[in-house]
Amino acid sequence: MTRRECGKAHRRNGLRRVEEGNTLDSTGTNPLITLNPSTLTIGRFLDVRGGATVNLADPLLSDSGSTFTVERDFVAVRQLNSKLTGTGTTPLLQFSSSTLNVGTKGIGSTGRDIGDFFRVDDNVSTDVTGPASVTLAGPLVSDTGSTFDILLRFLRVEDGSTFTSTTSDPLIAFSGSTVDTGLDFARLDDSSTVSLSGPLIDALSNTKFTTGTGAVGADFLEIRDSAVFTGPSKPTTGDASPLITFDQSTLTTTVDVKDASTRFLDLRLSGKLTLGGPLLKATNSTFTTNADFARITQLATLTGTGTTALFQFTNSTFNIGSDTVQTNGGEPGDNFFRVDDSAGDTVTGAATVTLAGPLVSDSGSTFTIADRFLRVTDGSTLTSTTTSPLITLSGSTVTTSDEFVRIDDSAKITLAGSLLSAGSTLTIGDDLLDIRTGVDNLGGLVTSSADPLVLLSGGTHAITDDLFDVQGQSITDQPIKGSQSSFTVNSKTASNPIGALFQATNESNITVDTALKLDNALFEATLPVIELVSTSTTQTKITSSGTFADIGRSNASKVLLKGPFIALDNSLIKVTTGPLLSLKSGSTMDVSGDLLKLISGSTINVVNGPLIKVDGSGSALDVTGALVNFGGTGASTIIVRNGLCSGTCATKGASSINILEQTSGTITISGTDIKNPSFGSIDVGSTDAVIQVSNSGSVNIQGN
């Protein structure tokens, strides 16, 4: 094959067409075609069709500074087992400061739009059918400083076709490029297969992507309809390279059509994605999507065998979703990461995500999310086997309009470590964690770790509603289930306890409505449920505007603890309205040990309510130890103000604790009710009840 060096050219047909069983072989080492500033108007640059075969030992094209106007696809490999094989290790297509305008609206035989940059398929619009294949030993594209205006997609593999690259280099590398696609940047569907030994995309040096202009459902990467995408495998040591890397680059997914959704990743309809390393690594980059950043749905499976985080971010910006309810009745779906079974397609079923590492690791980024950070629903599952937190945020700023994490409708998250570790600023429009099991008592969160489920290490956090809103279907339904050693308290056995639920350290300042809301559910723990720690002169703080812990708001719940329930070290809890602890609707809490532990100058300040309120028949608090155990190096205080007693409150116990028994409520205080009183005290007025029990509820402080 003779090589070409072209100056100006004007061609209406494809620059090269190979068809109907013919073969093109190129065995040289230089690019098959080299263009220096040229102008080309062509149908396709390369069209391999009808069972044709192209074998290239060298690059197909090297261009610098040319302008391409391409009527249809830039490269198409299609129909009847057509094959393109590249044995060279340098990129097949090489551009520098080029301009490419690809595609035409309504040009197809049925008036359809045509215009992919690189297309591998079985063009079903003809009688000649059969999946095509591309096999490369090197990358597909490398570019510096070019502009790509693509009517449809940059990369499209469909109709059972295959695309394989064995290089460890990025398949597509951009530096300072501008890429605009009318639909997805890359789409894999219809039982097709992509297999890569290296990354898919490297985007560096202010590369700018825009996808989805004028389109419905255009995503950066879409894998669907039983397609299989296999990224680089995990090596013997370490992880594979990130599938996609953004460094000082931007992605904007846009739509001009009402109710359309555009995402970074849409894995759906039995599609499969398998990775041996991260999916995305982004540094100093910006992402804007009008829907979820990543969605796994409708029998799709995502498997990550790498032990580092699937998403790795540094100093980047994420603007996720529009928070606009769709007129077609769907939810906005504006989550950072969503695993579900979306309605609207014939293929339905729960999705599955399985990770050997964390989901997200971030340092210094900003997230503005119109819905939730993480949602798992519709019976779908997310499993991570790492002992590291599923989500780690360091110096991040996160704003969500809804919950940070929601698990509902029989969905399940299974962890071997914490759910969240955040030394950041969180502004959450609803609950930090909302769990609602399904009607079959399935779903929820399962953890094998004793570490706090949520750890906040420094930062200011505004939670509009609850830290934890946990709702089951019955008093035996355990929405948060652990695997710590079982224990027995008051002849009741905790079979599946977690370790700790929540810990805040390093001067964290948290505002909530309620810290823990438990309804119609069983909860068991071997370590403090709420623990606050500070080692500096500034306390770690939680301020709740409502009841701090609300157990059984509407339906009976059961709590079994190896105490204390709350532990404070140089920290503060302030409750502005309501009690610190409320049990009602026949709910029970049994604590093995002390109920509260305050050391080193800690404070609980209940401004307008009792410390403990138990209401209703069957509602009961039974503590084997003391009401409070003081300790440490500084004086701690429990302050209670409420004026509940019409006159001077009655007292019970060795420490003469103010109590209020109403309507057959009973309070029993025995033994040592306050431990180490030299290290702390209860500050209460004569009309202020520390414990209020009504309507046949009961409190028993055994004082052991």
mmCIF file of all heavy atoms in Angstrom, residues 287-294 317-323 333-337 367-372:
data_model
loop_
_atom_site.group_PDB
_atom_site.id
_atom_site.type_symbol
_atom_site.label_atom_id
_atom_site.label_comp_id
_atom_site.label_asym_id
_atom_site.label_seq_id
_atom_site.Cartn_x
_atom_site.Cartn_y
_atom_site.Cartn_z
ATOM 1 N N PHE A 287 -17.113 18.764 36.708
ATOM 2 C CA PHE A 287 -18.118 17.906 36.077
ATOM 3 C C PHE A 287 -19.502 18.500 36.329
ATOM 4 O O PHE A 287 -19.846 18.843 37.465
ATOM 5 C CB PHE A 287 -18.065 16.495 36.668
ATOM 6 C CG PHE A 287 -16.748 15.791 36.464
ATOM 7 C CD1 PHE A 287 -15.686 16.016 37.327
ATOM 8 C CD2 PHE A 287 -16.569 14.909 35.408
ATOM 9 C CE1 PHE A 287 -14.470 15.383 37.149
ATOM 10 C CE2 PHE A 287 -15.359 14.266 35.219
ATOM 11 C CZ PHE A 287 -14.304 14.501 36.089
ATOM 12 N N THR A 288 -20.302 18.579 35.278
ATOM 13 C CA THR A 288 -21.675 19.045 35.403
ATOM 14 C C THR A 288 -22.586 18.066 34.674
ATOM 15 O O THR A 288 -22.431 17.846 33.465
ATOM 16 C CB THR A 288 -21.839 20.456 34.805
ATOM 17 O OG1 THR A 288 -20.952 21.360 35.475
ATOM 18 C CG2 THR A 288 -23.262 20.950 34.968
ATOM 19 N N THR A 289 -23.514 17.457 35.410
ATOM 20 C CA THR A 289 -24.486 16.557 34.801
ATOM 21 C C THR A 289 -25.883 16.995 35.212
ATOM 22 O O THR A 289 -26.069 17.551 36.293
ATOM 23 C CB THR A 289 -24.272 15.099 35.238
ATOM 24 O OG1 THR A 289 -24.536 14.977 36.648
ATOM 25 C CG2 THR A 289 -22.838 14.649 34.967
ATOM 26 N N ASN A 290 -26.893 16.713 34.368
ATOM 27 C CA ASN A 290 -28.246 17.135 34.733
ATOM 28 C C ASN A 290 -29.020 16.023 35.434
ATOM 29 O O ASN A 290 -30.180 16.197 35.791
ATOM 30 C CB ASN A 290 -29.006 17.630 33.499
ATOM 31 C CG ASN A 290 -29.803 16.545 32.828
ATOM 32 O OD1 ASN A 290 -29.318 15.430 32.632
ATOM 33 N ND2 ASN A 290 -31.033 16.857 32.444
ATOM 34 N N ALA A 291 -28.371 14.868 35.641
ATOM 35 C CA ALA A 291 -28.989 13.761 36.373
ATOM 36 C C ALA A 291 -27.909 13.100 37.219
ATOM 37 O O ALA A 291 -26.893 13.729 37.535
ATOM 38 C CB ALA A 291 -29.643 12.786 35.404
ATOM 39 N N ASP A 292 -28.112 11.832 37.605
ATOM 40 C CA ASP A 292 -27.119 11.145 38.424
ATOM 41 C C ASP A 292 -25.729 11.227 37.797
ATOM 42 O O ASP A 292 -25.586 11.185 36.573
ATOM 43 C CB ASP A 292 -27.471 9.652 38.550
ATOM 44 C CG ASP A 292 -28.906 9.422 38.944
ATOM 45 O OD1 ASP A 292 -29.278 9.816 40.049
ATOM 46 O OD2 ASP A 292 -29.640 8.827 38.135
ATOM 47 N N PHE A 293 -24.717 11.281 38.630
ATOM 48 C CA PHE A 293 -23.365 11.186 38.092
ATOM 49 C C PHE A 293 -23.136 9.770 37.569
ATOM 50 O O PHE A 293 -22.623 9.595 36.460
ATOM 51 C CB PHE A 293 -22.344 11.536 39.176
ATOM 52 C CG PHE A 293 -20.948 11.667 38.640
ATOM 53 C CD1 PHE A 293 -20.569 12.799 37.940
ATOM 54 C CD2 PHE A 293 -20.012 10.670 38.836
ATOM 55 C CE1 PHE A 293 -19.284 12.932 37.429
ATOM 56 C CE2 PHE A 293 -18.725 10.785 38.339
ATOM 57 C CZ PHE A 293 -18.359 11.923 37.626
ATOM 58 N N ALA A 294 -23.527 8.759 38.340
ATOM 59 C CA ALA A 294 -23.412 7.368 37.892
ATOM 60 C C ALA A 294 -24.662 6.616 38.307
ATOM 61 O O ALA A 294 -25.083 6.697 39.460
ATOM 62 C CB ALA A 294 -22.168 6.713 38.465
ATOM 63 N N THR A 317 -14.659 19.783 41.113
ATOM 64 C CA THR A 317 -15.978 20.354 41.349
ATOM 65 C C THR A 317 -17.027 19.516 40.634
ATOM 66 O O THR A 317 -16.872 19.194 39.446
ATOM 67 C CB THR A 317 -16.042 21.804 40.842
ATOM 68 O OG1 THR A 317 -15.060 22.588 41.532
ATOM 69 C CG2 THR A 317 -17.415 22.414 41.079
ATOM 70 N N PHE A 318 -18.109 19.197 41.377
ATOM 71 C CA PHE A 318 -19.177 18.381 40.822
ATOM 72 C C PHE A 318 -20.510 19.096 41.016
ATOM 73 O O PHE A 318 -20.905 19.405 42.138
ATOM 74 C CB PHE A 318 -19.220 17.013 41.520
ATOM 75 C CG PHE A 318 -17.965 16.203 41.322
ATOM 76 C CD1 PHE A 318 -16.863 16.398 42.152
ATOM 77 C CD2 PHE A 318 -17.875 15.279 40.300
ATOM 78 C CE1 PHE A 318 -15.697 15.683 41.964
ATOM 79 C CE2 PHE A 318 -16.715 14.551 40.106
ATOM 80 C CZ PHE A 318 -15.620 14.751 40.935
ATOM 81 N N ASN A 319 -21.193 19.336 39.910
ATOM 82 C CA ASN A 319 -22.534 19.915 39.934
ATOM 83 C C ASN A 319 -23.473 18.858 39.359
ATOM 84 O O ASN A 319 -23.503 18.631 38.146
ATOM 85 C CB ASN A 319 -22.583 21.198 39.113
ATOM 86 C CG ASN A 319 -21.607 22.236 39.624
ATOM 87 O OD1 ASN A 319 -21.702 22.681 40.762
ATOM 88 N ND2 ASN A 319 -20.649 22.617 38.792
ATOM 89 N N ILE A 320 -24.240 18.224 40.255
ATOM 90 C CA ILE A 320 -24.983 17.029 39.865
ATOM 91 C C ILE A 320 -26.473 17.297 39.938
ATOM 92 O O ILE A 320 -27.020 17.583 41.007
ATOM 93 C CB ILE A 320 -24.641 15.832 40.780
ATOM 94 C CG1 ILE A 320 -23.112 15.645 40.889
ATOM 95 C CG2 ILE A 320 -25.324 14.565 40.290
ATOM 96 C CD1 ILE A 320 -22.418 15.397 39.585
ATOM 97 N N GLY A 321 -27.166 17.214 38.791
ATOM 98 C CA GLY A 321 -28.614 17.230 38.770
ATOM 99 C C GLY A 321 -29.225 18.605 38.725
ATOM 100 O O GLY A 321 -28.578 19.632 38.935
ATOM 101 N N SER A 322 -30.539 18.581 38.463
ATOM 102 C CA SER A 322 -31.285 19.835 38.346
ATOM 103 C C SER A 322 -32.376 19.971 39.386
ATOM 104 O O SER A 322 -32.955 21.032 39.543
ATOM 105 C CB SER A 322 -31.927 19.924 36.953
ATOM 106 O OG SER A 322 -32.848 18.861 36.770
ATOM 107 N N ASP A 323 -32.713 18.845 40.079
ATOM 108 C CA ASP A 323 -33.765 18.842 41.101
ATOM 109 C C ASP A 323 -35.134 19.241 40.537
ATOM 110 O O ASP A 323 -35.982 19.773 41.232
ATOM 111 C CB ASP A 323 -33.412 19.771 42.262
ATOM 112 C CG ASP A 323 -34.093 19.323 43.563
ATOM 113 O OD1 ASP A 323 -34.467 18.146 43.641
ATOM 114 O OD2 ASP A 323 -34.246 20.155 44.468
ATOM 115 N N GLY A 333 -33.877 11.881 39.994
ATOM 116 C CA GLY A 333 -32.764 10.952 39.828
ATOM 117 C C GLY A 333 -31.421 11.640 39.821
ATOM 118 O O GLY A 333 -30.555 11.304 39.005
ATOM 119 N N ASP A 334 -31.252 12.614 40.691
ATOM 120 C CA ASP A 334 -30.049 13.425 40.657
ATOM 121 C C ASP A 334 -29.129 13.058 41.813
ATOM 122 O O ASP A 334 -28.859 13.867 42.693
ATOM 123 C CB ASP A 334 -30.431 14.910 40.721
ATOM 124 C CG ASP A 334 -31.342 15.313 39.575
ATOM 125 O OD1 ASP A 334 -31.290 14.646 38.535
ATOM 126 O OD2 ASP A 334 -32.097 16.282 39.725
ATOM 127 N N ASN A 335 -28.657 11.823 41.822
ATOM 128 C CA ASN A 335 -27.773 11.330 42.864
ATOM 129 C C ASN A 335 -26.346 11.266 42.335
ATOM 130 O O ASN A 335 -26.124 11.126 41.127
ATOM 131 C CB ASN A 335 -28.204 9.925 43.292
ATOM 132 C CG ASN A 335 -29.670 9.873 43.684
ATOM 133 O OD1 ASN A 335 -30.037 10.207 44.799
ATOM 134 N ND2 ASN A 335 -30.524 9.464 42.753
ATOM 135 N N PHE A 336 -25.391 11.319 43.236
ATOM 136 C CA PHE A 336 -24.028 11.102 42.764
ATOM 137 C C PHE A 336 -23.869 9.658 42.299
ATOM 138 O O PHE A 336 -23.364 9.397 41.208
ATOM 139 C CB PHE A 336 -23.006 11.423 43.866
ATOM 140 C CG PHE A 336 -21.597 11.131 43.423
ATOM 141 C CD1 PHE A 336 -20.920 12.031 42.620
ATOM 142 C CD2 PHE A 336 -20.974 9.944 43.769
ATOM 143 C CE1 PHE A 336 -19.643 11.750 42.171
ATOM 144 C CE2 PHE A 336 -19.699 9.654 43.326
ATOM 145 C CZ PHE A 336 -19.024 10.563 42.524
ATOM 146 N N PHE A 337 -24.303 8.691 43.126
ATOM 147 C CA PHE A 337 -24.193 7.281 42.745
ATOM 148 C C PHE A 337 -25.497 6.593 43.097
ATOM 149 O O PHE A 337 -25.950 6.649 44.239
ATOM 150 C CB PHE A 337 -23.021 6.617 43.484
ATOM 151 C CG PHE A 337 -22.628 5.275 42.941
ATOM 152 C CD1 PHE A 337 -21.762 5.180 41.863
ATOM 153 C CD2 PHE A 337 -23.117 4.106 43.508
ATOM 154 C CE1 PHE A 337 -21.388 3.942 41.356
ATOM 155 C CE2 PHE A 337 -22.752 2.869 43.009
ATOM 156 C CZ PHE A 337 -21.884 2.785 41.930
ATOM 157 N N PHE A 367 -18.932 19.230 46.079
ATOM 158 C CA PHE A 367 -20.046 18.503 45.480
ATOM 159 C C PHE A 367 -21.344 19.270 45.756
ATOM 160 O O PHE A 367 -21.684 19.516 46.914
ATOM 161 C CB PHE A 367 -20.181 17.103 46.088
ATOM 162 C CG PHE A 367 -18.980 16.213 45.915
ATOM 163 C CD1 PHE A 367 -17.892 16.326 46.770
ATOM 164 C CD2 PHE A 367 -18.939 15.260 44.911
ATOM 165 C CE1 PHE A 367 -16.781 15.499 46.629
ATOM 166 C CE2 PHE A 367 -17.843 14.429 44.762
ATOM 167 C CZ PHE A 367 -16.759 14.546 45.619
ATOM 168 N N THR A 368 -22.066 19.611 44.707
ATOM 169 C CA THR A 368 -23.396 20.191 44.843
ATOM 170 C C THR A 368 -24.359 19.248 44.139
ATOM 171 O O THR A 368 -24.318 19.107 42.911
ATOM 172 C CB THR A 368 -23.456 21.597 44.226
ATOM 173 O OG1 THR A 368 -22.456 22.427 44.842
ATOM 174 C CG2 THR A 368 -24.824 22.224 44.448
ATOM 175 N N ILE A 369 -25.219 18.596 44.933
ATOM 176 C CA ILE A 369 -26.010 17.476 44.421
ATOM 177 C C ILE A 369 -27.486 17.770 44.660
ATOM 178 O O ILE A 369 -27.913 18.043 45.785
ATOM 179 C CB ILE A 369 -25.597 16.164 45.111
ATOM 180 C CG1 ILE A 369 -24.088 15.926 44.906
ATOM 181 C CG2 ILE A 369 -26.407 14.992 44.583
ATOM 182 C CD1 ILE A 369 -23.537 14.784 45.720
ATOM 183 N N ALA A 370 -28.287 17.684 43.600
ATOM 184 C CA ALA A 370 -29.701 18.034 43.692
ATOM 185 C C ALA A 370 -30.528 16.990 44.422
ATOM 186 O O ALA A 370 -31.676 17.274 44.777
ATOM 187 C CB ALA A 370 -30.279 18.260 42.291
ATOM 188 N N ASP A 371 -29.975 15.819 44.651
ATOM 189 C CA ASP A 371 -30.720 14.796 45.375
ATOM 190 C C ASP A 371 -29.815 14.203 46.449
ATOM 191 O O ASP A 371 -29.500 14.867 47.420
ATOM 192 C CB ASP A 371 -31.219 13.724 44.401
ATOM 193 C CG ASP A 371 -32.511 13.067 44.877
ATOM 194 O OD1 ASP A 371 -32.743 13.028 46.091
ATOM 195 O OD2 ASP A 371 -33.284 12.589 44.028
ATOM 196 N N ARG A 372 -29.318 12.997 46.281
ATOM 197 C CA ARG A 372 -28.544 12.309 47.310
ATOM 198 C C ARG A 372 -27.121 12.007 46.821
ATOM 199 O O ARG A 372 -26.879 11.910 45.632
ATOM 200 C CB ARG A 372 -29.235 10.999 47.692
ATOM 201 C CG ARG A 372 -30.682 11.188 48.132
ATOM 202 C CD ARG A 372 -31.405 9.867 48.233
ATOM 203 N NE ARG A 372 -32.786 10.055 48.680
ATOM 204 C CZ ARG A 372 -33.817 10.218 47.866
ATOM 205 N NH1 ARG A 372 -33.636 10.206 46.553
ATOM 206 N NH2 ARG A 372 -35.030 10.384 48.344
#
